[in-house]
Short mmCIF file of all heavy atoms in Angstrom, two decimals:
data_model
loop_
_atom_site.label_atom_id
_atom_site.label_comp_id
_atom_site.label_asym_id
_atom_site.label_seq_id
_atom_site.Cartn_x
_atom_site.Cartn_y
_atom_site.Cartn_z
N GLY T 162 -8.94 1.67 -11.31
CA GLY T 162 -10.28 1.85 -11.34
C GLY T 162 -11.07 1.25 -10.19
O GLY T 162 -12.26 1.56 -9.94
N ARG T 163 -10.43 0.44 -9.35
CA ARG T 163 -10.98 -0.22 -8.22
C ARG T 163 -10.29 0.36 -6.85
O ARG T 163 -11.03 0.30 -5.90
CB ARG T 163 -10.81 -1.64 -8.34
CG ARG T 163 -11.57 -2.26 -9.49
CD ARG T 163 -11.62 -3.78 -9.46
NE ARG T 163 -10.29 -4.37 -9.48
CZ ARG T 163 -9.73 -5.21 -8.46
NH1 ARG T 163 -10.54 -5.46 -7.45
NH2 ARG T 163 -8.61 -5.77 -8.54
N PHE T 164 -8.99 0.49 -6.92
CA PHE T 164 -8.29 0.86 -5.73
C PHE T 164 -7.85 2.25 -5.85
O PHE T 164 -7.49 2.80 -6.90
CB PHE T 164 -6.92 0.00 -5.55
CG PHE T 164 -7.16 -1.43 -5.25
CD1 PHE T 164 -8.45 -2.02 -5.26
CD2 PHE T 164 -6.04 -2.15 -4.85
CE1 PHE T 164 -8.62 -3.40 -4.97
CE2 PHE T 164 -6.31 -3.53 -4.48
CZ PHE T 164 -7.49 -4.19 -4.59
N THR T 165 -7.79 2.97 -4.63
CA THR T 165 -7.42 4.38 -4.67
C THR T 165 -6.30 4.49 -3.41
O THR T 165 -6.72 4.23 -2.30
CB THR T 165 -8.45 5.33 -4.45
OG1 THR T 165 -9.38 5.22 -5.57
CG2 THR T 165 -7.99 6.79 -4.45
N ILE T 166 -5.13 4.99 -3.71
CA ILE T 166 -4.19 5.30 -2.83
C ILE T 166 -4.25 6.74 -2.42
O ILE T 166 -4.45 7.73 -3.18
CB ILE T 166 -2.77 4.90 -3.15
CG1 ILE T 166 -1.77 5.04 -1.89
CG2 ILE T 166 -2.36 5.63 -4.38
CD1 ILE T 166 -0.42 4.40 -2.19
N SER T 167 -4.12 7.14 -1.09
CA SER T 167 -4.17 8.54 -0.76
C SER T 167 -3.31 8.61 0.62
O SER T 167 -2.90 7.70 1.22
CB SER T 167 -5.54 8.95 -0.43
OG SER T 167 -6.22 8.23 0.63
N ARG T 168 -3.01 9.88 0.89
CA ARG T 168 -2.26 10.17 2.06
C ARG T 168 -2.67 11.44 2.84
O ARG T 168 -3.24 12.32 2.22
CB ARG T 168 -0.77 10.21 1.81
CG ARG T 168 -0.33 11.43 0.98
CD ARG T 168 1.17 11.29 0.46
NE ARG T 168 2.08 11.25 1.58
CZ ARG T 168 3.29 10.74 1.50
NH1 ARG T 168 3.74 10.23 0.34
NH2 ARG T 168 4.15 10.83 2.58
N ASP T 169 -2.50 11.34 4.09
CA ASP T 169 -2.74 12.60 4.94
C ASP T 169 -1.50 12.80 5.65
O ASP T 169 -1.26 12.19 6.73
CB ASP T 169 -3.90 12.27 5.95
CG ASP T 169 -4.36 13.43 6.59
OD1 ASP T 169 -3.59 14.47 6.70
OD2 ASP T 169 -5.57 13.52 7.12
N ASN T 170 -0.73 13.94 5.18
CA ASN T 170 0.55 14.20 5.74
C ASN T 170 0.35 14.72 7.25
O ASN T 170 1.39 14.61 8.05
CB ASN T 170 1.38 15.13 4.89
CG ASN T 170 1.97 14.35 3.71
OD1 ASN T 170 1.81 13.16 3.58
ND2 ASN T 170 2.45 15.11 2.77
N ALA T 171 -0.73 15.35 7.53
CA ALA T 171 -0.97 15.83 8.83
C ALA T 171 -1.21 14.74 9.89
O ALA T 171 -0.88 14.96 11.07
CB ALA T 171 -2.12 16.90 8.90
N LYS T 172 -1.54 13.60 9.41
CA LYS T 172 -1.76 12.41 10.29
C LYS T 172 -0.74 11.39 10.09
O LYS T 172 -0.80 10.24 10.78
CB LYS T 172 -3.19 11.82 9.95
CG LYS T 172 -4.35 12.69 10.37
CD LYS T 172 -5.72 12.06 10.07
CE LYS T 172 -6.83 12.87 10.58
NZ LYS T 172 -8.08 12.20 10.28
N ASN T 173 0.29 11.59 9.27
CA ASN T 173 1.36 10.54 8.94
C ASN T 173 0.81 9.21 8.63
O ASN T 173 1.23 8.28 9.01
CB ASN T 173 2.28 10.42 10.25
CG ASN T 173 3.23 11.59 10.49
OD1 ASN T 173 3.10 12.57 9.63
ND2 ASN T 173 3.99 11.56 11.45
N THR T 174 -0.17 9.25 7.71
CA THR T 174 -0.95 8.04 7.38
C THR T 174 -1.22 8.00 5.84
O THR T 174 -1.54 9.07 5.16
CB THR T 174 -2.28 7.96 8.07
OG1 THR T 174 -2.07 8.10 9.56
CG2 THR T 174 -3.00 6.71 7.83
N VAL T 175 -0.96 6.78 5.33
CA VAL T 175 -1.33 6.46 3.93
C VAL T 175 -2.52 5.43 3.97
O VAL T 175 -2.49 4.62 4.81
CB VAL T 175 -0.14 5.98 3.11
CG1 VAL T 175 0.38 4.68 3.66
CG2 VAL T 175 -0.40 5.89 1.71
#
Side-chain angles (χ1 to χ4, degrees):
R163 300 189 297 120
F164 291 11
T165 303
I166 187 171
S167 61
R168 67 191 295 159
D169 187 340
N170 284 353
K172 295 182 177 180
N173 288 0
T174 302
V175 64

